[in-house]
Amino acid sequence: MNSENSPSAPPPLVTAASITAVEGLLLVALAVLEMANLTGGRVTMGLTTAVFFAAFGVLLVGCGWLITRGHTWPRGPILLAQLIGLGLAWNLRGGETTVVSVVIAVVAVIVLAGMLHPASIEALNEADGAP
């Protein structure tokens, strides 16, 4: 996938990467909102939360972009982010947060399915030089 003669990224991988990039952009947006809502009593907590969201969001956007261009190292952070999302969805289930929980779980499952699709695995293995 890295050279001009190699095939482009398969649709399941592009879908997973695109959704991952959107997740990253949403985390960056949450970081901005967190910074906008800093109050005197929680400056340290708000600042560290915003920095974490921004850094993780930028990482996910970068991983989503790089994985479609033949880089294989982003596969780990993308998969880890989805597993964290499934854990978060599990913790948010029930009550007023059920809809949020379902959305997070569905998104995570779609990305995991795209990343673990045989065409995606084959394309990443080819990019990694595996036979």
Side-chain angles (χ1 to χ4, degrees), residues 1-121:
M1 279 184 345
N2 234 354
S3 70
E4 290 185 28
N5 295 334
S6 63
S8 63
L13 184 61
V14 172
T15 300
S18 300
I19 293 172
T20 299
V22 170
E23 288 175 324
L25 292 174
L26 288 173
L27 283 171
V28 171
L30 283 174
V32 170
L33 289 174
E34 184 66 29
M35 291 294 289
N37 290 312
L38 285 180
T39 60
R42 57 180 295 277
V43 171
T44 303
M45 178 62 106
L47 211 54
T48 55
T49 302
V51 168
F52 174 77
F53 282 168
F56 195 38
V58 168
L59 173 72
L60 288 180
V61 169
C63 286
W65 185 75
L66 288 171
I67 198 138
T68 60
R69 277 141 186 85
H71 297 273
T72 57
W73 69 264
R75 144 179 41 195
I78 291 172
L79 293 174
L80 180 61
Q82 304 320 308
L83 295 176
I84 290 170
L86 287 175
L88 180 62
W90 180 259
N91 285 328
L92 292 175
R93 75 192 188 289
E96 296 175 359
T97 57
T98 299
V99 173
V100 174
S101 173
V102 169
V103 169
I104 292 171
V106 167
V107 167
V109 167
I110 290 171
V111 173
L112 286 170
M115 291 295 296
L116 300 174
H117 189 277
S120 298
I121 291 172

